[in-house]
């Protein structure tokens, strides 16, 4: 019925020598040159902006650091206005990191669960609304999270804090606080967890949906249940993606300002420092935002800028680590080359970022 | 091991679309049965209904009966997961689990069945790799990733994985279509050996392959695009290839069609 091959068209052009010379001269690559220039320019611009931010921070921080009488990295004192100025970031660093890590520990399991639910468990008409609702969480302004967190959520969380404090109070991290203050690090962490949930979920969902059909069917054909299929095929494939998604979420939590600023109660200057997450505290971002009105002398400003520089470096490192993990492993484990050779087309099931 | 499959009055639908119509056949134990036919005639779809893998595709459903000896695979209370542990499958493209070692790939089905004893696992992995004619090539690197093997070796690894759980039936969906001729030959030799222990069903586009490896051949065709695929004729391979009953079969086999 159909022709067996596509060769030999019915009317072949007549053979024979041709008179005219072939045009093989330059055809004009203006578009190429323009576009290459623009692309290169944009790339350089982005790098330059990052570099300038770093340089700005350094230039303002160095003089203040030179005058600092305290150990900048290891002191918990923060009195940049004193004479001589004394300031250290240890307390800020601790609160920033511990609140973000707790936020990540809460958010990542939920995000992975939601991502798996929307990709492999939920019927299509349920999966889309759930995914959409999670995405909407990202659209809520952080000031709203802050207000909601302190006015509505913190009182609800209070019994949880009391319960944890009673049960695990012998661990310094969970030491029961003396006041019944609700603006504690733990509350901020839970709110941060809600805030980073959308990004972690979206990336995990996308990577899970891309698990090649061949791997999934391979697991199912061996007689695995859906959960066993997820464990054998989906999770190994998505592991690196989930790790990098968590790191991106962590980076976001580290730098979050307004919500944390509103929720966290600033400890009294005379109170002894505590490592408990059931006490108030200040993160880099909330400390700087709280004291923006104080930027009157170069020394004071420089102290806050120096704190900002540390935050910049930490988030930069976390994000770089995330990128490195993605670049090194790629989806599907160690061997992106292999996926190419086998020729599996990754299938995406309406996953969006 | 190795059971008889009896299919009667089987229709397969994707949503409202009828993909396969009214197939009835008997597949003998310890034999190789080949399904041939033009693309889109429903032979792969039909193959998947023999271990309920079609249910992975949303909207796919089946009418009719598939009996494995005395048991109806579609009776109520039959778990498709249990069916697939009895009727194994090998796919068109080799699909070893990329993050698992060669050993873990072969052992994966056993682990699903709850086998944890290391000695037993080692024993079965070795036996299965021998059974898949792969042992000599991989015995020194069982802990290396299965993805590092060549395409043909990967496909034999997948066959080892399938036979490790001692299924009754092995379904193969164009197992050689992504392989070079030498790897294809290795798989064909293996199929010859597998039929001593298993019921083997293979879908192939390669008619020489069907003629070489199978005892029975079933020819599928469809009346026109958009119409359901049907079983035109089934019989001993020799007879189908030398003296088919139907004109359509002869046309297809002699290359006048498709």
């Amino acid at each position: 019925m159909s022709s067996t091959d596509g060769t030999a068209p019915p009317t072949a052009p007549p053979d024979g020598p041709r008179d005219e010379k072939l045009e093989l001269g330059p055809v004009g690559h203006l578009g190429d040159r323009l576009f290459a220039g623009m692309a290169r320019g944009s790339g350089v611009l982005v790098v330059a902006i990052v570099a300038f931010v770093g340089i700005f921070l350094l230039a303002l921080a160095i003089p203040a650091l030179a005058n600092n009488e305290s150990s900048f990295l290891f002191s918990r004192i923060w009195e940049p206005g004193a004479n001589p100025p004394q300031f250290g970031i240890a307390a800020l660093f601790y609160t920033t990191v511990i609140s973000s890590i707790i936020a990540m520990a809460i958010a990542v399991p939920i995000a992975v669960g939601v991502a798996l639910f929307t990709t492999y468990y939920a019927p299509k008409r349920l999966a889309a609304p759930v995914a959409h609702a999670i995405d909407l969480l990202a659209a809520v302004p952080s000031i709203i999270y802050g207000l909601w967190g302190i006015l509505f959520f913190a009182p609800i969380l209070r019994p949880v804090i009391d319960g944890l404090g009673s049960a695990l109070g012998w661990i310094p991290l969970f030491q029961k606080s003396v006041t019944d203050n609700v603006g504690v690090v733990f509350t901020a962490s839970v709110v941060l967890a809600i805030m980073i949930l959308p990004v972690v979920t979206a990336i995990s969902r996308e990577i899970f949906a891309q698990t090649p059909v061949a791997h999934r069917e391979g697991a199912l054909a061996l007689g695995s249940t859906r959960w066993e299929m997820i464990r054998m095929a989906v999770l190994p494939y998505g592991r690196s993606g989930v790790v990098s998604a968590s790191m991106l979420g962590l980076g976001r939590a580290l730098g979050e300002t307004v919500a944390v600023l509103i929720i966290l109660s600033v400890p009294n200057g005379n109170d002894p420092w505590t490592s408990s997450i059931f006490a108030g505290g200040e993160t880099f971002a909330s400390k700087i935002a709280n004291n923006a009105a104080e930027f009157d002398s170069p020394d004071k400003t420089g102290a806050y800028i120096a704190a900002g520089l540390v935050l910049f470096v930490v988030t930069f490192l976390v994000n770089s680590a995330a990128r490195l993990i993605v670049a090194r492993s790629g989806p599907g484990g160690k061997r992106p080359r292999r996926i190419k050779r086998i020729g599996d087309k990754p299938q995406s099931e309406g996953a969006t970022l | 091991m190795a059971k008889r499959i009896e299919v009667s009055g089987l229709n397969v639908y994707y949503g409202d679309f009828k993909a396969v119509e009214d197939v009835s056949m008997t597949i003998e134990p310890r034999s190789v049965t080949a399904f041939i036919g033009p693309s889109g005639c429903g032979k792969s779809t039909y193959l998947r209904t023999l271990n309920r893998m079609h249910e992975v595709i949303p909207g796919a459903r089946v009418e009719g009966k598939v009996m494995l000896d005395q048991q109806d695979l579609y009776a109520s209370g039959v778990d498709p997961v249990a069916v697939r542990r009895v009727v194994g499958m090998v796919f068109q493209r080799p699909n070893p689990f990329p993050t698992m070692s060669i050993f873990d790939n072969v052992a994966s089905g056993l682990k699903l069945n709850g086998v944890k004893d290391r000695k037993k696992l080692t024993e079965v992995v070795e036996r299965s790799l021998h059974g898949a004619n792969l042992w000599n090539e991989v015995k020194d690197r069982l802990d290396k990733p299965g993805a590092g093997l060549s395409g043909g070796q990967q496909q034999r690894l997948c066959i080892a994985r399938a036979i490790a759980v001692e299924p009754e039936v092995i379904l193969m969906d164009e197992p050689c279509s992504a392989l070079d001729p030498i790897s294809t030959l290795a798989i064909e030799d293996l199929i010859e050996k597998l039929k001593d222990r298993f019921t083997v069903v293979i879908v192939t586009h390669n008619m020489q392959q069907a003629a070489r490896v199978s005892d029975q051949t079933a020819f599928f065709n469809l009346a026109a695009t958009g119409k359901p695929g049907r079983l035109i004729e089934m019989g001993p391979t020799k007879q189908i290839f030398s003296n088919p009953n139907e004109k359509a079969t002869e046309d297809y086999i002699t290359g006048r069609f498709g």
Side-chain angles (χ1 to χ4, degrees):
Chain A
M1 237 182 292
S2 61
S3 72
T4 47
D5 54 10
T7 57
T11 51
D15 287 335
R18 292 204 219 161
D19 296 337
E20 76 271 33
K21 204 165 164 260
L22 290 172
E23 285 277 356
L24 295 176
V27 289
H29 292 265
L30 184 64
D32 277 352
R33 278 202 298 273
L34 268 178
F35 188 77
M38 273 163 59
R40 198 173 298 132
S42 315
V44 170
L45 189 68
V46 169
V47 175
I49 290 173
V50 175
F52 276 126
V53 170
I55 290 167
F56 157 81
L57 292 173
L58 270 176
L60 289 169
I62 285 170
L65 286 172
N67 291 339
N68 186 9
E69 284 293 305
S70 225
S71 160
F72 176 64
L73 289 179
F74 301 107
S75 165
R76 290 196 297 263
I77 302 165
W78 192 268
E79 283 168 6
N83 194 11
Q86 292 191 340
F87 56 91
I89 54 156
L92 299 179
F93 186 86
Y94 175 79
T95 308
T96 305
V97 170
I98 200 81
S99 63
S100 300
I101 286 177
I102 292 171
M104 199 173 82
I106 297 170
V108 170
I110 297 175
V112 169
V114 171
L116 287 175
F117 175 74
T118 52
T119 41
Y120 292 110
Y121 280 95
K124 273 243 153 60
R125 57 178 191 290
L126 189 61
V130 169
H132 205 70
I134 298 279
D135 286 345
L136 270 182
L137 286 178
V140 178
S142 56
I143 184 90
I144 304 294
Y145 275 115
L147 290 173
W148 175 80
I150 193 68
L151 296 176
F152 178 78
F153 195 54
I156 294 177
L157 216 52
R158 190 70 228 175
V160 178
I161 291 173
D162 287 339
L164 279 173
S166 307
L168 301 167
W170 48 276
I171 307 171
L173 189 64
F174 298 107
Q175 200 173 30
K176 229 174 159 179
S177 75
V178 280
T179 64
D180 56 356
N181 164 21
V182 292
V184 298
V185 173
F186 182 70
T187 310
S189 296
V190 177
V191 173
L192 280 175
I194 298 170
M195 294 177 75
I196 64 174
L197 196 57
V199 62
V200 184
T201 309
I203 297 175
S204 307
R205 192 175 65 213
E206 192 188 32
I207 205 100
F208 289 155
Q210 282 177 357
T211 310
V213 180
H215 299 166
R216 279 152 39 193
E217 289 192 336
L220 288 172
L222 280 175
S224 61
T225 62
R226 200 176 307 198
W227 165 239
E228 286 162 342
M229 182 273 284
I230 286 171
R231 244 181 27 206
M232 279 166 95
V234 178
L235 290 181
Y237 181 85
R239 195 175 45 208
S240 68
V242 172
V243 170
S244 66
S246 315
M247 300 287 250
L248 287 178
L250 181 64
R252 188 168 282 199
L254 287 168
E256 174 50 37
T257 309
V258 175
V260 177
L261 171 73
I262 294 180
I263 292 167
L264 277 186
S265 64
V266 178
N268 229 318
N270 312 325
D271 290 350
W273 184 79
T274 166
S275 63
S276 171
I277 56 168
F278 299 141
E282 283 181 298
T283 67
F284 284 118
S286 77
K287 180 89 181 171
I288 295 169
N290 240 338
N291 297 285
E294 265 190 57
F295 297 174
D296 43 19
S297 75
D299 268 354
K300 266 193 189 169
T301 312
Y304 289 103
I305 296 279
L309 182 64
V310 176
L311 177 61
F312 179 76
V313 170
V314 171
T315 46
F316 190 81
L317 288 180
V318 167
N319 278 312
S320 315
R323 306 260 167 236
L324 248 175
I325 291 167
V326 180
R328 190 153 31 151
S329 42
K334 298 154 207 146
R335 244 156 280 268
R337 180 180 59 81
R338 185 204 65 80
I339 288 166
K340 214 179 194 172
R341 188 174 73 202
I342 287 191
D344 278 333
K345 288 215 177 71
Q347 161 193 328
S348 68
E349 291 171 337
T352 49
L353 181 59
Chain B
M1 278 207 297
K3 294 201 167 168
R4 174 180 286 107
I5 304 171
E6 281 176 299
V7 180
S8 48
L10 193 90
N11 297 321
V12 191
Y13 297 86
Y14 289 124
D16 294 332
F17 174 67
K18 199 182 210 179
V20 177
E21 187 175 60
D22 194 26
V23 174
S24 301
M25 67 166 64
T26 301
I27 296 169
E28 294 299 330
R30 293 197 176 77
S31 71
V32 178
T33 303
F35 295 172
I36 59 171
S39 295
C41 69
K43 55 195 187 306
S44 288
T45 301
Y46 170 63
L47 184 78
R48 282 169 162 255
T49 64
L50 301 182
N51 72 343
R52 298 183 65 169
M53 272 301 282
H54 70 286
E55 290 172 21
V56 173
I57 301 157
R61 66 198 161 84
V62 153
E63 287 168 358
K65 258 190 179 168
V66 178
M67 304 290 285
L68 193 63
D69 278 2
Q70 302 309 317
Q71 247 184 324
D72 186 354
L73 298 186
Y74 288 93
S76 66
V78 171
D79 187 345
V81 170
V83 170
R84 292 172 201 146
R85 290 183 185 186
V86 182
V87 184
M89 191 160 192
V90 175
F91 295 86
Q92 196 169 353
R93 296 190 178 280
N95 58 350
F97 299 119
T99 49
M100 289 187 197
S101 67
I102 292 171
F103 183 96
D104 288 340
N105 260 293
V106 181
S108 55
L110 290 168
K111 287 182 181 165
L112 285 178
N113 287 323
V115 179
K116 288 211 181 71
D117 178 27
R118 189 75 193 173
K119 207 172 136 227
K120 164 98 175 144
L121 285 176
T122 315
E123 199 182 293
V124 176
V125 167
E126 179 170 349
R127 176 155 31 101
S128 306
L129 285 169
H130 273 301
N133 291 346
L134 191 60
W135 175 253
N136 287 330
E137 291 156 67
V138 301
K139 62 181 177 212
D140 302 322
R141 44 174 172 157
L142 292 175
D143 55 341
K144 295 278 173 351
L149 300 173
S150 76
Q153 290 172 324
Q154 286 188 22
Q155 193 62 297
R156 278 179 282 150
L157 178 62
C158 292
I159 293 173
R161 184 174 71 183
I163 63 179
V165 293
E166 302 281 332
E168 308 284 347
V169 180
I170 298 175
L171 309 177
M172 298 186 168
D173 189 358
E174 299 183 43
C176 302
S177 66
L179 305 181
D180 64 82
I182 294 185
S183 306
T184 299
L185 198 66
I187 303 275
E188 287 181 6
D189 288 347
L190 176 54
I191 292 171
E192 189 63 34
K193 179 170 149 189
L194 288 176
K195 77 171 181 185
D196 295 342
R197 294 164 62 203
F198 305 99
T199 307
V200 179
V201 185
I202 175 170
V203 167
T204 177
H205 268 134
N206 180 332
M207 276 177 284
Q208 287 79 20
Q209 181 169 66
R212 280 193 298 263
V213 302
S214 71
D215 305 305
Q216 298 275 317
T217 297
F219 172 62
F220 288 78
N221 202 356
L222 70 176
T225 315
K227 293 272 169 53
R230 307 184 64 121
L231 173 62
I232 302 298
E233 173 170 16
M234 182 173 178
T237 300
K238 278 214 180 76
Q239 183 230 315
I240 293 281
F241 277 92
S242 58
N243 186 22
N245 292 328
E246 300 286 332
K247 178 87 169 52
T249 314
E250 194 182 336
D251 284 352
Y252 183 73
I253 286 165
T254 52
R256 252 174 281 161
F257 168 84

